[in-house]
Amino acid sequence: VQLVESGGGLVQAGGSLRLSCAASGFSFETYTIGWFRQAPGKEREAVSCQTPSDESPYCAVSVKGRFTMSSDRAKNTVYLQMNSLRAEDTAIYYCAADPLPLFLSSQLHEFDYWGQGTQVTVSS
């Protein structure tokens, strides 16, 4: 299993970024792929919002309505579109994969496979 994130960088507050996660080595159709972030001194947070009104535990309240996941099956790639970025969105962003349908759960579960992360810095 290999997950490679890209698309991070420096952006001004209010701006947008789209992160990409290129997946290989497993069945893109059956695995759950999600996005997470971790800021210095803070716990890892799930930001895997599948819709703007996602109420699942995998979509943090702080990003709901601003972050949305999408995928391109032909490219085995999952995206995270981040809009209206804030300074507090500064973090390392990771994509992760798991063979179980974790998004169907009402609780957070640990994913088995992780990418190396990409830094997102939002200047205020």
Side-chain angles (χ1 to χ4, degrees), residues 7-55:
L10 175 64
V11 62
Q12 288 189 334
S16 297
L17 275 178
R18 189 178 78 159
L19 305 182
S20 300
C21 173
S24 61
F26 62 95
S27 172
F28 191 81
E29 300 291 326
T30 60
Y31 270 53
T32 300
I33 302 177
W35 285 97
F36 299 80
R37 70 182 182 184
Q38 189 162 21
K42 295 188 177 181
E43 292 189 357
R44 189 171 61 206
E45 184 176 44
V47 293
S48 305
C49 305
Q50 299 185 68
T51 68
S53 57
D54 194 332
E55 296 285 344

Side-chain angles (χ1 to χ4, degrees), residues 44-116:
R44 189 171 61 206
E45 184 176 44
V47 293
S48 305
C49 305
Q50 299 185 68
T51 68
S53 57
D54 194 332
E55 296 285 344
S56 82
Y58 292 97
C59 177
V61 172
S62 60
V63 304
K64 190 170 67 174
R66 300 188 296 122
F67 290 15
T68 307
M69 288 179 49
S70 64
S71 63
D72 184 334
R73 295 183 176 184
K75 296 182 178 180
N76 278 10
T77 298
V78 175
Y79 304 99
L80 181 67
Q81 179 67 43
M82 306 186 295
N83 299 327
S84 302
L85 284 163
R86 307 166 181 168
E88 53 265 37
D89 294 319
T90 295
I92 299 175
Y93 285 72
Y94 300 90
C95 70
D98 196 277
L100 297 177
L102 297 185
F103 287 160
L104 298 180
S105 174
S106 60
Q107 297 180 336
L108 279 172
H109 295 273
E110 185 69 20
F111 279 58
D112 280 351
Y113 304 100
W114 293 82
Q116 83 289 350

